[in-house]
């Protein structure tokens, strides 16, 4: 069965959706998105994702053409048409068609249904390696479509046998290319609190950890990695994914640690009963 | 008559060109472009524009799907179909359709024919005001599609009665949002030489000036504006456009100066016999 998408009021198979070439996302990189999964046929953390999407739109001066409840009904329709128990959804809100290639007139709003790309089991069992890049995303707290940097580093990543990029600037870590970053020291979780996209999964994991671990949201330095016991990254698809190596530095004993495993297990328990 | 465009081998009216929604320019802001005009039915400075476009493609790790001569033949076809003596061309090269929303497989190449939007005469006669923004474009020397910043400032510009944005960082001026920047002191032109898109018009104007003026390509500071006699900006559509005010600072005597006028006149003489 094909996956369907919504585009300004009509629903059609994703591969048939075409965006006019004068759209400002194409000509000027002016667009934002969001991305989330369903569990048990229901959009996971829907309230949080919608709120973030609406915030991103405000920050980008784009008027949402449709309200929350109406969008939810479309999501339910799209799941049904996909024939899958669970799917990923991608929202895309663009600057829309511009008569002069620069001015916003009317945003285009698109919802894509996508297959869920699960992280392979062995990455959870063995943990991943990441490489450090000297970079900080512009407007990191808004989920703009600007992901040039990680695409340009695809070759370097393959060469380094790395699964992802960890951004740092002046020694301060912000985030991975598409996910948030945590370290564990003793019974404490530490995670960056600025120059980041505020992940919904990041927030959920913090809440799941609070009863038993102290959580410190603060500047995390590269030097903090040296005595970290564990590190992991969070995102809607990665859930809680252990990081065992950063460039040449082995984190802890080079294996996924007990606290990362515990938080993954709590996260999966939550999604199971969602 | 409609304007026509080329997209991966086919030619059709611009308003019928649709780009599939999984293109990386839409999903990830991964695309580059170039833009130039024809004079007397011939692409102005074609060699320079093609070279820059090919350089941008290399820097963005995108393979050009078609060669220079073949593209030139398409341009001639598109001019003919437009029914206009002169047009603007916009090249767009994107990351192409991605199966996983992040990996480059095959770039999409688009050529759009557009009407030329001339700068109103009174802007040449009176000069323009610009507002300063604390910003420097990422990968400024590559003509990526990333123009979020100027779109976000549209409201602030209207409020300030400014025609454009002048970017500076730590007191060093780089460029305007879509054009290059020059100041004039005595018989000397001074223009930034880093963190800029190396304009073809910038290069042409420097060459036109060299016989009679000294040209200094170096870091230009905001403080340099204080004793500047003139300022102007260059681009394919703006040609040589005088700037008479930067934020609250009046440049020179607040009117377009003789050297700006002289260079505009030389530029127009060159295009006339192109």
């Amino acid at each position: 069965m094909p996956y369907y998408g919504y585009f300004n009021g009509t629903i059609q198979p994703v591969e048939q959706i075409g965006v006019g070439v004068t759209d400002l996302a194409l000509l000027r990189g002016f667009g934002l998105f969001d991305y989330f999964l369903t569990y048990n046929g229901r959009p996971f953390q829907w309230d949080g994702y919608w709120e973030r999407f609406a915030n991103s739109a405000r920050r980008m001066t784009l008027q949402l053409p449709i309200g929350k409840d109406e969008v939810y009904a479309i999501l339910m329709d799209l799941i049904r048409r996909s024939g899958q128990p669970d799917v990923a959804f991608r929202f895309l809100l663009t600057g829309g068609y511009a008569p002069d290639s620069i001015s916003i007139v009317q945003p285009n709003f698109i919802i894509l249904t996508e297959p869920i790309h699960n992280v392979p089991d062995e990455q959870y069992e063995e943990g991943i390696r990441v490489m450090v890049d000297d970079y900080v995303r512009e407007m990191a707290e808004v989920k703009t479509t600007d992901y040039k940097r990680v695409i340009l580093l695809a070759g370097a990543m393959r060469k380094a046998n790395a699964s992802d990029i960890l951004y740092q600037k002046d020694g301060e870590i912000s985030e991975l290319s598409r996910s948030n970053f945590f370290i564990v020291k003793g019974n404490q979780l530490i995670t960056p609190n600025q120059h980041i996209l505020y992940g919904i999964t990041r927030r959920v994991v913090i809440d799941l950890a609070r009863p038993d671990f102290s959580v410190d949201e603060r500047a995390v330095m590269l030097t903090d990695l040296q005595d970290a016991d564990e590190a992991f990254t969070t995102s809607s698809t990665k859930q809680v994914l252990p990081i065992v190596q950063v460039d040449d530095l082995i984190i802890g004993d080079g294996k996924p640690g007990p606290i990362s495993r515990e938080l993954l297990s709590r996260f999966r328990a939550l999604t199971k009963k969602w």
Side-chain angles (χ1 to χ4, degrees), chain A:
Chain A
M1 255 169 129
Y3 286 87
Y4 283 81
Y6 168 94
F7 182 15
N8 288 349
T10 61
I11 288 179
Q12 56 198 124
V14 168
E15 58 274 22
Q16 287 174 26
I17 298 179
V19 178
V21 73
T22 62
D23 189 283
L24 289 171
L26 279 163
L27 299 187
R28 300 297 185 177
F30 199 89
L32 63 93
F33 76 111
D34 221 310
Y35 179 87
F36 53 96
L37 310 182
T38 69
Y39 288 100
N40 309 311
R42 289 178 57 218
F44 183 63
Q45 297 287 332
W46 166 240
D47 291 341
Y49 282 104
W50 177 262
E51 190 189 352
R52 181 171 73 179
F53 181 65
N55 276 333
S56 288
R58 244 190 312 277
R59 288 284 304 276
M60 293 281 276
T61 70
L62 293 176
Q63 198 98 35
L64 281 175
I66 180 172
K68 183 177 177 182
D69 293 344
E70 206 179 339
V71 171
Y72 195 85
I74 295 165
L75 298 181
M76 289 297 124
D77 182 8
L78 290 171
I79 294 172
R80 197 180 40 74
R81 288 175 193 248
S82 78
Q84 305 294 320
D86 282 306
V87 298
F89 284 118
R90 185 183 302 271
F91 285 0
L92 189 60
L93 186 68
T94 74
Y97 303 133
D100 59 355
S101 80
I102 197 77
S103 307
I104 295 170
V105 177
Q106 171 70 45
N108 280 322
F109 180 49
I110 294 163
I111 303 171
L112 301 179
T113 317
E114 301 181 359
I116 296 172
H117 294 293
N118 285 315
V119 173
D121 281 346
E122 74 251 28
Q123 291 202 351
Y124 289 105
E125 284 151 23
E126 295 168 16
I128 62 167
R129 296 170 191 192
V130 301
M131 61 178 272
V132 171
D133 183 33
D134 181 21
Y135 182 71
V136 61
R137 281 189 72 218
E138 228 181 280
M139 299 177 72
E141 66 286 2
V142 180
K143 209 166 167 68
T144 72
T145 54
D146 184 1
Y147 287 74
K148 282 190 295 299
R149 187 76 174 195
V150 59
I151 295 178
L152 285 173
L153 288 173
M157 264 202 289
R158 268 193 303 274
K159 226 175 187 169
N161 200 17
S163 302
D164 210 331
I165 307 288
L166 180 66
Y167 295 136
Q168 70 85 23
K169 193 86 184 171
D170 302 324
E172 184 181 338
I173 292 168
S174 53
E175 56 191 355
L176 275 83
S177 72
R178 286 158 289 163
S179 57
N180 290 117
F181 184 68
F182 287 78
I183 59 176
V184 180
K185 294 191 185 195
N187 222 35
Q188 187 182 34
L189 305 185
I190 310 168
T191 188
N193 65 342
Q194 56 179 359
H195 310 305
I196 64 168
L197 194 277
Y198 293 91
I200 307 296
T201 307
R202 172 183 179 277
R203 175 53 47 201
V204 169
V205 168
I206 288 172
D207 290 344
L208 289 171
R210 283 252 190 244
D212 303 292
F213 306 96
S214 78
V215 182
D216 201 1
E217 301 183 51
R218 64 154 165 93
V220 177
M221 310 306 289
L222 279 175
T223 50
D224 279 313
L225 299 180
Q226 265 139 26
D227 61 343
D229 298 319
E230 306 179 26
F232 60 85
T233 182
T234 59
S235 83
S236 53
T237 48
K238 296 185 174 74
Q239 302 184 337
V240 179
L241 180 62
I243 295 170
V244 295
Q245 190 175 334
V246 177
D247 280 349
D248 290 334
L249 181 75
I250 306 290
I251 305 293
D253 64 358
K255 290 176 191 155
I259 295 181
S260 309
R261 288 176 188 279
E262 171 62 21
L263 294 172
L264 175 61
S265 149
R266 290 184 189 187
F267 187 84
R268 289 183 168 169
L270 176 69
T271 59
K272 201 167 176 182
K273 63 181 170 51
W274 182 257

